[in-house]
Amino acid sequence: MSVITGKVAFSNLSEHEIYDGKSTGKYSLVLTLDDENTAKLEAQGVTLRTYEGTKQRKFASQYDVSVFELNGDEFMGQVTRGSDVRVQYSLGKEHPVHGITPYLDKIRVLQLADSATDGDF
């Protein structure tokens, strides 16, 4: 198993993702990655997307994902957008178009982002 650090862009950890009005049957986390972590995933054959000039990757699991505090205690609450996390993942088999899929195993919240809404809301 491998470990990577990133910033949460999208989080679907308490209920399955919805795509086209239907459940995908998977929990997921999309991370925005720095250059070091981007290079690590690319070296493992994982394909990344570019969004607004930064690299991102989705990690998914069909099983409940364990989420922990920095001290190792179970994390209670929602992992908010912008939070810094460390993800433990395993790699699936290579796909000829989509590359290698990283499966989400565990998450450790390093710094929880403030979930306050924009002042103009």
Side-chain angles (χ1 to χ4, degrees), residues 6 9 23 31 46 63 68 78 81 86-87 100 118:
S23 173
L31 293 182
V46 176
Y63 306 104
F68 300 96
Q78 297 290 326
R81 181 182 176 98
R86 183 177 305 131
V87 171
I100 296 174
D118 187 1

Side-chain angles (χ1 to χ4, degrees), residues 68-105:
F68 300 96
E69 299 271 358
L70 187 57
N71 66 5
D73 291 343
E74 182 180 353
F75 179 82
M76 303 303 267
Q78 297 290 326
V79 179
T80 53
R81 181 182 176 98
S83 296
D84 293 316
V85 297
R86 183 177 305 131
V87 171
Q88 181 177 315
Y89 65 97
S90 51
L91 297 173
K93 295 181 181 177
E94 186 168 5
H95 185 278
V97 175
H98 304 293
I100 296 174
T101 301
Y103 293 108
L104 185 56
D105 296 326

